[in-house]
Amino acid sequence: MDYHWYPGHMTKTIRQMQEDMKLIDLVIEIADARLPRSSRNPDIETLAAGKARMILLNKADLADPEGSEAWRRALEEEGLHPVLIDARKNGSLKSLTPMILKACQEKIERDRRRGIQNRPVRAMVAGIPNVGKSTFINSFAGSAAAKTGNKPGVTRGKQWIRMNKQVELLDTPGLLWPKFEDQEVGKRLAMIGSIRDEVLNTEELSLEVIAFLAGNYPGKLAERYGVSEEEIPADVLTAVGRRRGCLVRGGEIDTEKAARLLLEEFRAGTIGRFTLERP
């Protein structure tokens, strides 16, 4: 299966971000804690050259804690000021303003030398679709400041949000790249739901999830569904369908329905907490 999704508005988004970079001091990139490398767009790295950087590893509540800590250390070494968050809970965001100011310390000191006092840090929030940018902004602001949705590509227009006297945020639409050079990246993004299921073969994708879990987190499928992980993925999917009553007329297994169920539970953390790649 070819993992590729690049709506036409993405090219326009890149051009707009290039213009907006002139206005901002800090790029806050939001990535998925389950995929800290694959859920980052290389274009953001290029666009943000010369700007202060911070990376928020969102959905940390769905990621393997051991994997998240390894990623936090690795990204810290890159000077990216990583923070593990669950954007749905504003309690995990309380310490962000001091960290934003720390990331922009050079800029703040430069302003002071020029006699500029108390100018808020202007930060751009960027990331690929469905990593939780709008949810983060809403939680951080304490109100529904940005439009949110649970499908990739909901946020469309540019909007500034004043968080407090010290920070202003610029939201941007989700940004993917034209073609995944590494199809493994596309596959992993599809597994966590960052590519619309409508353009994917969900049965094939569910088999990839089954293979990943059996190879990296043995016992989780057996624990959740009571199936044998020693079978080939297609047989495991059939067994899941049988166990969960995914049937069509005549008593045959509806493998498409079973695939959708498995993907939904994998993405929601119902099966467990997983990190799909390591530093």
Side-chain angles (χ1 to χ4, degrees):
M1 178 165 48
D2 186 29
Y3 300 96
H4 180 154
W5 180 56
Y6 196 76
H9 70 269
M10 294 295 182
T11 303
K12 182 181 178 183
T13 297
I14 289 180
R15 287 200 300 266
Q16 187 60 58
M17 287 175 71
Q18 287 173 329
E19 287 299 309
D20 292 339
M21 282 292 170
K22 302 170 186 175
L23 308 174
I24 61 107
D25 310 303
L26 170 72
V27 175
I28 299 176
E29 184 177 1
I30 300 188
D32 193 300
R34 296 166 294 180
L35 283 177
R37 182 186 297 114
S38 295
S39 62
R40 294 176 61 202
N41 187 327
D43 287 340
I44 294 175
E45 194 78 27
T46 304
L47 289 166
K51 298 291 181 180
R53 301 285 303 280
M54 176 180 280
I55 183 162
L56 305 183
L57 297 177
N58 190 27
K59 306 184 184 181
D61 57 308
L62 300 177
D64 177 348
E66 183 182 321
S68 293
E69 179 56 26
W71 275 108
R72 190 196 64 74
R73 291 195 301 267
L75 294 168
E76 181 110 309
E77 290 176 5
E78 293 180 34
L80 291 175
H81 298 90
V83 185
L84 292 161
I85 66 167
D86 174 2
R88 298 168 301 175
K89 298 178 181 177
N90 57 16
S92 68
L93 309 178
K94 288 181 178 177
S95 63
L96 276 187
T97 295
M99 297 195 72
I100 288 172
L101 298 179
K102 180 182 177 183
C104 292
Q105 192 170 351
E106 287 186 20
K107 172 261 174 194
I108 292 169
E109 290 178 356
R110 195 164 56 245
D111 280 352
R112 283 176 182 161
R113 288 196 295 270
R114 294 172 179 170
I116 301 171
Q117 298 286 341
N118 302 321
R119 186 173 81 81
V121 168
R122 286 194 149 187
M124 175 186 287
V125 182
I128 69 168
N130 215 30
V131 289
K133 295 184 305 302
S134 297
T135 302
F136 158 70
I137 290 172
N138 290 347
S139 296
F140 194 25
S143 63
K147 185 177 179 181
T148 61
N150 59 6
K151 289 190 175 182
V154 168
T155 310
R156 284 286 190 271
K158 178 176 70 171
Q159 45 190 333
W160 283 97
I161 300 99
R162 189 173 180 85
M163 312 307 293
N164 49 50
K165 291 181 180 180
Q166 297 171 299
V167 181
E168 292 181 354
L169 295 183
L170 174 62
D171 188 22
T172 59
L175 187 65
L176 278 179
W177 45 101
K179 190 171 179 64
F180 303 118
E181 291 182 12
D182 182 356
Q183 282 292 296
E184 284 295 309
V185 170
K187 180 177 75 177
R188 293 182 196 126
L189 288 169
M191 287 166 71
I192 65 168
S194 286
I195 301 175
R196 292 184 296 118
D197 283 340
E198 291 87 343
V199 301
L200 300 170
N201 183 320
T202 52
E203 284 194 52
E204 278 188 35
L205 186 59
S206 71
L207 299 182
E208 296 285 0
V209 169
I210 289 168
F212 166 77
L213 291 174
N216 295 276
Y217 292 91
K220 289 294 185 180
L221 286 166
E223 181 183 331
R224 178 65 183 166
Y225 301 109
V227 298
S228 170
E229 296 177 2
E230 295 177 3
E231 307 289 340
I232 63 171
D235 289 344
V236 174
L237 181 62
T238 299
V240 169
R242 185 180 300 110
R243 288 274 184 171
R244 288 305 179 87
C246 301
L247 306 174
V248 293
R249 187 174 296 175
E252 291 188 16
I253 306 299
D254 185 343
T255 50
E256 176 63 27
K257 184 176 180 180
R260 290 196 303 269
L261 180 145
L262 188 139
L263 287 172
E264 183 180 312
E265 295 198 342
F266 176 74
R267 292 165 179 169
T270 309
I271 302 174
R273 297 174 66 174
F274 310 114
T275 299
L276 280 74
E277 59 191 7
R278 301 285 169 153

